[in-house]
Amino acid sequence: MTDKELIKIVTESKYSNSYKEFNCNFNFEYVDYNETFTGLDNVYKYITTQIKGWESYEQTLPPVFQNSKAYFISIRDSINSLIEQDDKINESGIINRLSSINNTINYIRDKPFPYHISQTIFLIEIFNKRREAFHGAYHFLTNNIQSVSFTNNKNTFIGVLLAYEYSIKDESDIYKRSKSEKRSLTQLRNEFLDKINDSEINLNKYYENTYDNYNKHTELIDDLKDSKETSFNDWFSETKEKFESFYSISNEKKTELENTYHDLLKLQAPAQYWKQRATILKKEGRKFMFLLISLVLIGSISLYLLLWHTPEDMLKSIFDGEKTKAIRWSIVFITFISFLFFGIRAVTKAMFSSYHLARDAEEREHLSFFYLSLLKESSVDKEDRQLILQSLFSRSDSGLLKEDSSPTMPGGINNIIGGNH
């Protein structure tokens, strides 16, 4: 666990006050070292610094300093165990665990050393340069000289002597200046540590404020999210209903248009036929009209010629009493007039019949499109549809035959034309 992670957990914990009020003292009297810390995060930061410091030594360390590293690791593990169970124990359990951590800190049976003090650096140098003298120097600096045996062991004596010279260095001017400088450095270090502690406090306060603001913004975002989700769901439901209604209406309209289009395809050919038929009948009517005019002109001219330019033999025979000749001319004249009248009457009837059929074809064409418009605008009942289709496909009265009838449309045609409705 990193320092930042622990600070985050301590700040967010409901027992943060207990963590911040935690106080411990690292008192190593045998090397004249005393350090006090307030706040579990500051203790943890100091512990991790000591562990990293011991791990930073590349050279081989004496076994007693291995114990020092293990001492700080045991404290770190106790703090990690407490933080991991923060949400599982109550406040009294937290206080008991903090007291247990304090006991671990005060339990210094193996005489642990901080990695950065001058005694540690001095002993590591002795161990690396004169390893045989390390035992004497170590026991001298830790006030355990009574356990040192000088019998037949000059290296032990050398180690004690080196430690003695190290311990009286303050009596010379050089060592006094060194001590003064050390004191100045220590003061600067303490001031620096105070600044760090103040910065940590400010950082913790800033983190708390940031965390509170984060929670508030999170709540606002959640509220906004819920509001937007509600609005979206309402909008989606309303839009879905409108779309379903629109789709239903459009589908019905599409079906109606498809049916109308099918009817158009069914009636398009008959309507085209009736249009062409009307054109042909009009042309025939005009031909009959020209023929009628021609016959009338021929008859008029013939009558004129017969009446005004009668042969003298014919008039003479009539008035002279030649009855046979007169009857013969009368029969010829009456026959000519009869044939002329019959031709004019036949042509007239054919002409009017053509115009009549042409007009009927045009009306059927218009009726077809009228029927389609009815289908498009509104629904047509089955009976009305049969009447319209009967009018469209019934036989027309030409006028050429006497009592020409218009029979109803056969049922098969009705099924063919209107079967899909």
Side-chain angles (χ1 to χ4, degrees), residues 1 6 17 49 69 138 143 158 168 201 236 256 262 269 274 312 336 366 378:
M1 182 182 299
L6 183 131
N17 292 331
T49 302
K69 179 181 177 182
Y138 174 76
N143 296 323
I158 292 173
I168 65 171
I201 293 172
F236 182 78
E256 292 178 1
H262 292 158
W274 288 321
E312 294 180 0
F336 173 77
H366 295 312
S378 62

Side-chain angles (χ1 to χ4, degrees), residues 36 53 64 85 87 108 158 251 306 310 364 393 398:
T36 302
V64 293
Q85 298 182 1
D87 57 344
I108 54 176
I158 292 173
N251 198 25
L306 288 174
T310 303
R364 290 173 189 264
F393 294 98
S398 63

Side-chain angles (χ1 to χ4, degrees), residues 118 169-170 172-190:
S118 60
K169 63 183 182 296
D170 294 338
S172 65
D173 293 337
I174 295 176
Y175 284 116
K176 287 181 180 179
R177 288 197 299 272
S178 176
K179 184 177 180 181
S180 176
E181 292 175 356
K182 180 180 178 182
R183 187 183 301 112
S184 177
L185 290 174
T186 302
Q187 184 178 359
L188 290 174
R189 175 178 173 274
N190 293 333

